[in-house]
Amino acid sequence: MKFTLNWLKDHLETEAPLDEIVAALTDLGLEVDGVEDPARALGAFTIARVIEAKPHPDADRLRLCRVETKPEGPSGPSVEVQVVCGAPNARTGLVGVFAAPGTHVPGTGVDLKKGVIRGVESNGMLCSERELMLSEDHDGIIDLPADAPLGARYIDWAGLNDPVIEIKITPNRPDALGVAGIARDLAARGLGRLIEKPVAPVPGAFPCPLAVTIEPNALPLAPVFCGRLIRGVRNGPSPDWMQRRLRAIGLRPISALVDITNYLTYDRNRPLHVFDADKVKGALRVHRAAGGETIVALDDREYALGAGMLAISDDEGVESIAGIMGGAATGCTEETVNVFVESAWWDPVTIAAAGRRLKINSDARYRFERGADPEFTPPGLELATRMILDLCGGEPSEAVTAGAVPDHARAYPLNPARAASLVGMDIPAAEQVRILAALGFAAEPESAGYRVSVPSWRPDVKGEADLVEEVARIVSLSRLVSKPMSRPAGVAGAVLTPMQKRTARARRRLAAAGLNECVTYSFVSSKEAALFGGGDALRKLENPISSELSDMRPSPIPGLLAAAARNQARGFADLGLFEVGAEYFGPEPEQQREVAAILRVGHTAPRDWSGARRPVDMMDAKADAEAALAAIGAPVERLGAAREAPDFFHPGRSAALKLGPKSVLAVFGELHPKVLKALDVKGPAVAAIVYLAEAPFPKAKGRTRPALALPAYQAVERDFAFVVDARCEAETILRAAKGADKTLIESASVFDVFAGPAAEAQMGAGRKSVAIAVRLQPLTATLTEAEIEAVSARIVAAVEKATGGALRA
């Protein structure tokens, strides 16, 4: 929203300087996006007179001018300077615009300096309009009337000193889309007095010959349509003051009739439309489009209306897209002599949907979809009529109205004490009432405070909290003093839930492992969802933000792979990523779970001379999963591995970490080659998914830490090597060994595997050797050799029974 300072002063009587107004606007919530102050660029250019102009002694096209200036202003003393000028109209007695040395010339980007031109000193410049960026005219210097005051600033004399202010308007403030609404806020703040401009009805000289109707199915969306015919108008250029203001805010002046509607759109937030009445065939009717109707709009583009869109038609077809843009067929031209002026109110949602579908962005749509003032619909017509009569002449008909202004009257209770509880500001009740009255609200006393009626131009105010916000906004939230929140006596209780603490520990542990945390979308494409076990209709979004984000993700892994692919495309091949977030296995709220997803791609380290670099493998993923599980308190030493990984993992190089026969705490392994190919990721790539809620939470503990218990007797380690089937899993051997004596056996681990052709040559085809170390920890007495041998025998028997193998000789 743009407006000029002088335009604002048409509605606000104020002596406040520009900087104070700009600061107040931002503080009121109307954030200033920029200020174009002509004084900063053109304030140094003054009016001067050429005392004498004679030919340059050494150049045919240059003139040597003696110039009278007044550097201290019109009342200051005259100073004569010498200027070399090349303009063909430089002459004795000319009054023009002078720039002294040191002035920045915006049209050329040059800072003036004293110079010597063809051997003659020049002390400044006589300027053309192009050099001041006022127009493209540079055929000669500016020629002013002889009575122009010497020494005065040119922009002040020419009326160009009108700063342009641009503010950002939030969608809930349609009232600030008019200069009058902005002035109301500033007056309530105390920066001046609001200039009330009541609109007097314009009497009609004859009945309106153009009938207007609203079809019943359109009435809820277009409740009121006002209009009148004005005959005998002269549609020439609009006055200079109006053209200057329209140009200042970026609009191109077209003609008086069109400029008046544009001016009132910005001045009063009242979009209007004018039809050339001689081009309208029959009566006008407001209706909902059946679908397929076409219209060539004022932007000379053809649009096909969708079913349900609001349209204004005559007997020959659609003549206007209601609330958005008029039609070219009935548009006004220089030949227009009879016009029909329209002022209507349209449903914001309907206008927004139609504008979005037709891809039309107009000032009318921008205001109607946010909510124009319905009660100003008839006054807006009267205001436009008066301005047309003043600028274009003509004779008005009586106004015609179809429908009625919708009733938006509403009132809410206001307890003055709510200001302190909601925004923490102590504002006297009388001041609250004054502020609301200045904003157009009406407050009536009642038992519990006030009953506040909301003006029709504020559709955003819908309750007591909004009223308090209005008061606090005008008082200024910058006056809010920060205060510490009250807290109960003693030590505060726990704030984080056990699950939140667990999530934080997992995140910290994975980051400490050198992985980079990612935050990806919770949505994936249908193709990605299908690769990871999703893609069903129940998990598809009804209104996706993109075709590439159409499904709820069945796993965070697709997002991590997409990040890896983008990095690989930019030369970063070795990556370690993780994300802690939700995966969705159904459409219901309870059908989601918190997981830690881990991805490693490429190699474990950069290239170096030591040869420590190697491709990542499934054991790296397992280590990450176990590290995360250990961080959240899972009993990692009791976990077993099973071949139960999802289908997007490699079937022979993946596993699940289980606690007991049913509880899966994590899955890990290499990703399936088809998945990597589909997502354009260059392997090797391994991943792990840790199910954070599956690990058992610790039982409640006392406040004291238990005493440290250390074994009193020496532990004993024994090594065993078993010859087993080549497909036998090491986990089967370890589980059997640990189960041989759960009291004495503290741990068991694999320390060697002998497999391959050489092993088969010694032990037979399809066989391998797995060596394990078993640690025995006595609790009551030192183990004797006989006891050790007995336990060893039980270990061998248990492994042989579980695997069908034998102790290696």
Side-chain angles (χ1 to χ4, degrees):
M1 172 67 187
K2 286 185 175 182
F3 57 95
T4 70
L5 182 61
N6 288 339
W7 195 345
L8 177 67
K9 290 182 177 180
D10 282 354
H11 298 278
L12 181 69
E13 183 180 325
T14 181
E15 298 297 328
L18 175 63
D19 291 344
E20 185 178 352
I21 291 174
V22 168
L25 286 170
T26 298
D27 195 46
L28 287 166
L30 307 176
E31 182 183 355
V32 175
D33 199 31
V35 177
E36 300 172 18
D37 188 357
R40 295 176 182 173
L42 303 178
F45 295 85
T46 59
I47 298 175
R49 182 173 64 88
V50 179
I51 301 172
E52 180 187 17
K54 59 183 180 180
H56 190 285
D58 197 25
D60 295 337
R61 296 187 178 182
L62 297 180
R63 307 281 288 175
L64 189 60
C65 301
R66 292 168 48 215
V67 178
E68 179 187 0
T69 69
K70 292 187 176 183
E72 298 179 12
S75 60
S78 297
V79 176
E80 183 179 319
V81 296
Q82 180 174 273
V83 175
V84 177
C85 181
N89 64 331
R91 67 183 187 277
T92 299
L94 178 141
V95 177
V97 178
F98 172 72
T103 302
H104 178 79
V105 182
T108 61
V110 173
D111 292 331
L112 287 181
K113 298 179 180 179
K114 292 183 179 181
V116 177
I117 302 175
R118 293 288 186 95
V120 177
E121 186 179 82
S122 181
N123 297 293
M125 182 181 194
L126 292 170
C127 302
S128 67
E129 289 192 352
R130 182 176 182 180
E131 286 156 343
L132 271 60
M133 297 186 70
L134 300 178
S135 72
E136 292 300 315
D137 182 10
H138 62 287
D139 293 334
I141 56 178
I142 297 173
D143 191 349
L144 302 178
D147 59 352
L150 300 185
R153 295 199 309 178
Y154 172 65
I155 56 171
D156 295 333
W157 178 86
L160 301 176
N161 189 16
D162 195 4
V164 179
I165 304 170
E166 182 176 6
I167 61 176
K168 293 180 180 178
I169 304 296
T170 53
N172 66 319
R173 290 297 308 278
D175 61 300
L177 290 172
V179 181
I182 298 168
R184 184 184 297 111
D185 269 18
L186 290 169
R189 169 58 68 87
L191 262 69
R193 182 184 65 84
L194 182 66
I195 301 174
E196 301 285 353
K197 294 186 176 182
V199 179
V202 178
F206 57 93
C208 182
L210 197 59
V212 176
T213 58
I214 304 174
E215 292 192 354
N217 68 341
L219 197 57
L221 308 178
V224 62
F225 186 104
C226 303
R228 74 174 353 134
L229 187 135
I230 305 176
R231 62 190 181 193
V233 300
R234 299 179 302 280
N235 190 25
S238 57
D240 290 342
W241 65 266
M242 182 178 288
Q243 292 193 33
R244 282 199 301 270
R245 288 185 178 180
L246 293 178
R247 286 195 185 96
I249 63 174
L251 296 182
R252 178 176 60 89
I254 298 174
S255 65
L257 290 172
V258 176
D259 292 352
I260 288 169
T261 62
N262 287 336
Y263 181 81
L264 290 177
T265 296
Y266 279 82
D267 187 63
R268 295 295 189 95
N269 189 28
R270 174 25 59 184
L272 303 157
H273 183 60
V274 286
F275 297 86
D276 188 324
D278 295 330
K279 298 176 183 178
V280 177
K281 307 302 180 184
L284 290 175
R285 64 185 180 94
V286 178
H287 63 98
R288 301 182 72 172
E293 299 97 325
T294 60
I295 178 176
V296 177
L298 290 172
D299 60 358
D300 294 325
R301 296 177 60 185
E302 184 177 76
Y303 297 95
L305 303 187
M309 294 182 183
L310 290 172
I312 304 172
S313 299
D314 62 6
D315 293 346
E316 293 191 352
V318 177
E319 299 298 349
S320 177
I321 308 172
I324 298 177
M325 187 174 289
T330 55
C332 294
T333 64
E334 293 180 356
E335 290 76 30
T336 297
V337 292
N338 301 313
V339 297
F340 182 81
V341 186
E342 166 219 323
S343 179
W345 190 87
W346 314 101
D347 175 62
V349 175
T350 304
I351 297 303
R356 191 176 299 117
R357 182 171 175 181
L358 296 174
K359 299 180 180 179
I360 300 177
N361 292 311
S362 66
D363 287 329
R365 172 199 163 182
Y366 187 77
R367 283 158 173 78
F368 279 125
E369 70 184 3
R370 283 159 175 77
D373 181 4
E375 291 188 8
F376 195 69
T377 303
L381 174 64
E382 303 294 345
L383 191 61
T385 301
R386 174 52 59 196
M387 190 168 283
I388 290 173
L389 295 177
D390 290 344
L391 300 182
C392 304
E395 185 180 25
S397 75
E398 297 172 354
V400 293
T401 301
V405 175
D407 183 12
H408 286 263
R410 61 197 188 281
Y412 302 105
L414 173 64
N415 183 350
R418 290 287 282 162
S421 63
L422 282 179
V423 297
M425 300 174 70
D426 294 322
I427 305 171
E431 178 65 6
Q432 295 187 41
V433 172
R434 184 202 67 79
I435 290 173
L436 291 172
L439 292 174
F441 296 79
E444 295 293 333
E446 60 179 17
S447 58
Y450 296 91
R451 188 79 178 172
V452 180
S453 299
V454 181
S456 58
W457 59 80
R458 291 304 301 271
D460 58 306
V461 176
K462 298 179 179 179
E464 184 181 37
D466 293 331
L467 295 173
V468 173
E469 180 186 1
E470 287 301 298
V471 172
R473 184 174 64 86
I474 299 300
V475 170
S476 179
L477 291 172
S478 63
R479 291 171 50 185
L480 184 62
V481 179
S482 60
K483 300 177 182 178
M485 296 181 64
S486 60
R487 59 183 298 172
V491 179
V495 175
L496 298 179
T497 65
M499 188 62 190
Q500 289 173 327
K501 293 178 181 178
R502 173 171 285 189
T503 300
R505 292 190 190 106
R507 181 179 284 114
R508 178 173 294 183
R509 180 63 185 85
L510 293 174
L515 299 168
N516 293 303
E517 184 174 9
C518 296
V519 179
T520 65
Y521 280 111
S522 296
F523 319 122
V524 294
S525 67
S526 297
K527 181 183 77 170
E528 293 171 337
L531 285 173
F532 287 83
D536 53 278
L538 292 176
R539 281 181 279 181
K540 287 190 178 297
L541 302 177
E542 289 188 358
N543 186 25
I545 59 177
S546 165
S547 60
E548 297 300 314
L549 301 170
S550 59
D551 291 55
M552 299 301 293
R553 67 182 184 191
S555 169
I557 298 295
L560 296 180
L561 286 171
R566 288 193 294 270
N567 278 275
Q568 286 183 337
R570 290 159 177 79
F572 299 97
D574 302 329
L575 300 165
L577 308 174
F578 80 94
E579 179 176 3
V580 177
E583 68 175 23
Y584 304 88
F585 53 91
E588 301 301 327
E590 64 273 9
Q591 292 179 307
Q592 67 182 63
R593 56 188 169 190
E594 198 79 1
V595 301
I598 303 158
L599 176 69
R600 289 189 182 270
V601 180
H603 293 77
T604 58
R607 292 189 297 176
D608 67 351
W609 62 270
S610 67
R613 174 183 169 90
R614 61 173 178 79
V616 294
D617 58 31
M618 64 176 290
M619 301 312 294
D620 294 312
K622 181 184 180 185
D624 290 331
E626 289 180 337
L629 288 170
I632 66 175
V636 177
E637 69 282 352
R638 292 166 48 197
L639 300 182
R643 296 184 183 275
E644 298 180 12
D647 292 341
F648 54 84
F649 283 102
H650 192 294
R653 300 172 187 170
S654 59
L657 292 176
K658 301 180 68 176
L659 182 64
K662 295 182 179 180
S663 182
V664 177
L665 271 59
V667 292
F668 66 91
E670 290 188 19
L671 289 169
H672 201 290
K674 72 176 183 181
V675 172
L676 300 182
K677 182 178 179 181
L679 298 183
D680 196 24
V681 176
K682 300 175 180 60
V686 298
I689 303 174
V690 179
Y691 305 108
L692 298 175
E694 296 300 320
F697 286 90
K699 297 180 180 179
K701 297 181 179 180
R703 292 182 178 273
T704 59
R705 182 178 298 177
L708 178 63
L710 295 175
Y713 303 98
Q714 180 69 39
V716 178
E717 286 195 5
R718 286 290 185 269
D719 296 342
F720 304 86
F722 295 96
V723 177
V724 296
D725 188 276
R727 294 172 297 177
C728 180
E729 298 171 349
E731 181 65 29
T732 304
I733 300 173
L734 294 174
R735 190 183 303 116
K738 292 177 183 177
D741 192 326
K742 294 183 179 180
T743 302
L744 284 177
I745 298 176
E746 183 182 68
S747 64
S749 60
V750 177
F751 68 87
D752 184 58
V753 176
F754 180 38
E760 292 184 358
Q762 293 184 22
M763 295 173 287
R767 309 293 284 177
K768 67 178 179 181
S769 171
V770 179
I772 65 173
V774 180
R775 181 180 177 87
L776 307 178
Q777 178 61 61
L779 300 177
T780 59
T782 302
L783 293 174
T784 64
E785 190 63 30
E787 290 172 330
I788 295 173
E789 290 298 329
V791 175
S792 298
R794 290 198 296 273
I795 292 172
V796 172
V799 174
E800 289 178 345
K801 181 180 179 180
T803 64
L807 189 66
R808 184 176 176 183

